[in-house]
Amino acid sequence: MSVDDAALMAEAIAEGDKARLHAPPNPWVGALVWRDGVVVAAGHTQVPGESHAEVEALRRAGERARGATMVVTLEPCCHVGRTGPCVEAILEAGVTRVVVGSLDPDPRVAGRGVAALRAAGVEVEVGVALEAVRAQLAPYLWHRVTGRPYVVLKVAATLDGAVAMSDGSSRWITSEAARRDAHLVRAQSQAIVVGANTVRLDDPTLTARLGDVTLEPLRVVLGTAPEGARVRPCWERQGDLGALLDELGEHDVVQVLVEGGAQVASAFVEAGLVNHVVWYVAPALAGARGPRAALATLSTPSIDALRRARFLDVRRVGEDVRMDLEV
C-alpha cells in the first residue's frame, strides 16, 4: 500500500457518504478512477436498481479509465442482480489496478470479485484503510454477516440521565440543533422501534425530517398503537426482540433505530442486541429516578457484569454533546 492509496481511499470513503441515505439495502460505496497523479472521476452507489459506484465512476471517466487505477471502498460485485457485475465493467473499461478497502461478506461476492479481477490479470490491493471502511459500512457488513439489522440506540437525556421530568414532560430536553442531528440518524435507518407507551404519551410521527424532505422509515411499535396514532401505518409486535430483528433483516432493514422509551431501551441493552449508541446530553440536571431514567429497568448485578462500550466520537451539537459509542 502506498501513501497515495490511503489518501485516495479516504476520498473514496467521503464519496460513499453521499450514498448513505439512498443506497440501502445496498452498501453505500464510493469509487475513484485515478491516473497520471490525479483523480479523473468519482462515483457513488445510486438508488437500488441503478448503477453501483464503480460503474458511475467509470462512466464519468470514459476513455481515461483505460490503464488507470480504480479505488473502491468495497469489493466489486461479480454476480448479476438488479444490475450487471461491476467486475465485468471494470475489465471492459481497461482498468489495470484496483485498490479495495474491504472484502464484501455477501455470499454472492465474498472474495470472488477480487479473484475474478486477478484471474483477468488486474493487479488488486485489498485492505487499504480497512478500519475506516469497516466503520463507515458497519451496518451493511453486520447485516450481511448476521442477517439482522445493525441496532442503534438513541437517547436524549439530561447530564444525570433523565429522559423525562416528574410530571412526564420531556419536550424538549435537548436543543433544536441536537434534534435536527437526530433526524439525520433517523434518516440513516430503515426502521424505528418504540414502545406503545411512548406512542400513547407523545404521539410521535417517527419520520425523518431533513429540511424540506421528509423520509418515512418503517415504524415498529412494541405493543399496540392507539387507533388514530400518527405513527400508523406501523408494525405492531410483541415477544422476543431477537425474532423481531430476524424479521426486520429479512425485510432488507440494514439499520434499525431504537428510540424508546426507557423500558424498550433497557430491554435491548439487557438482551445484548445494541451495536451502537447515540447519546445526546443536555447541560441540565433533573434527578433521574425510577421510570424517568434513560435505562430505568436495566439492572447490573456486579461490577464484573458492567456493560462496557468504546467511544467512537464525542462532539458538540448546538448547546448539547453527542456521544457515539460502540457496544
Side-chain angles (χ1 to χ4, degrees), residues 38-322:
V38 297
V39 174
V40 297
H44 55 268
T45 312
Q46 302 300 295
V47 298
E50 296 187 10
S51 54
H52 292 183
E54 299 94 321
V55 172
E56 279 293 299
L58 291 171
R59 179 181 62 79
R60 294 170 185 172
E63 281 303 310
R64 295 174 296 176
R66 194 158 300 279
T69 291
M70 168 161 281
V71 180
V72 60
T73 54
L74 190 69
E75 177 183 12
C77 65
C78 52
H79 62 280
V80 177
R82 282 176 286 196
T83 61
C86 292
V87 164
E88 186 176 302
I90 291 169
L91 296 177
E92 288 179 356
V95 171
T96 55
R97 182 170 181 262
V98 176
V99 178
V100 177
S102 173
L103 294 177
D104 188 345
D106 188 311
R108 297 170 297 179
V109 189
R112 294 184 181 87
V114 165
L117 290 170
R118 285 174 172 160
V122 177
E123 179 187 349
V124 183
E125 179 88 27
V126 179
V128 175
L130 179 60
E131 185 174 347
V133 170
R134 283 182 173 170
Q136 184 199 40
L137 291 172
Y140 168 81
L141 298 173
W142 178 265
H143 179 262
R144 287 301 187 271
V145 170
T146 68
R148 289 181 170 181
Y150 184 84
V151 178
V152 177
L153 171 63
K154 191 214 84 177
V155 175
T158 61
L159 189 62
D160 53 344
V163 293
M165 304 304 104
S166 298
D167 65 356
S169 60
S170 60
R171 295 185 177 180
W172 296 103
I173 289 174
T174 52
S175 65
E176 184 179 348
R179 297 197 298 275
R180 284 198 304 268
D181 189 76
H183 274 273
L184 179 59
V185 181
R186 280 186 181 180
Q188 292 171 342
S189 306
Q190 293 75 57
I192 301 176
V193 175
V194 296
N197 192 51
T198 295
V199 175
R200 284 191 292 272
L201 291 174
D202 297 339
D203 194 21
T205 60
L206 299 185
T207 56
R209 297 180 292 279
L210 303 176
D212 295 331
V213 177
T214 298
L215 305 176
E216 296 197 8
L218 171 66
R219 278 74 62 97
V220 181
V221 177
L222 299 183
T224 303
E227 292 299 327
R230 294 194 299 169
V231 75
R232 290 186 179 276
C234 62
W235 281 14
E236 295 170 297
R237 296 291 187 272
Q238 299 186 52
D240 183 66
L241 296 177
L244 170 62
L245 294 180
D246 289 336
E247 185 181 9
L248 288 171
E250 290 170 0
H251 281 78
D252 285 337
V253 174
V254 174
Q255 177 172 302
V256 61
L257 179 64
V258 177
E259 284 217 7
Q263 186 174 347
V264 170
S266 298
F268 271 91
V269 175
E270 185 80 50
L273 297 174
V274 175
N275 299 95
H276 187 112
V277 177
V278 177
W279 195 297
Y280 296 96
V281 180
L285 299 169
R289 295 188 183 92
R292 308 310 179 197
L295 299 173
T297 62
L298 184 66
S299 176
T300 304
S302 68
I303 194 69
D304 293 333
L306 191 63
R307 300 163 186 82
R308 296 192 180 274
R310 180 172 70 94
F311 279 111
L312 299 175
D313 187 35
V314 178
R315 58 187 171 89
R316 183 91 172 258
V317 181
E319 309 239 335
D320 308 310
V321 172
R322 169 175 167 166

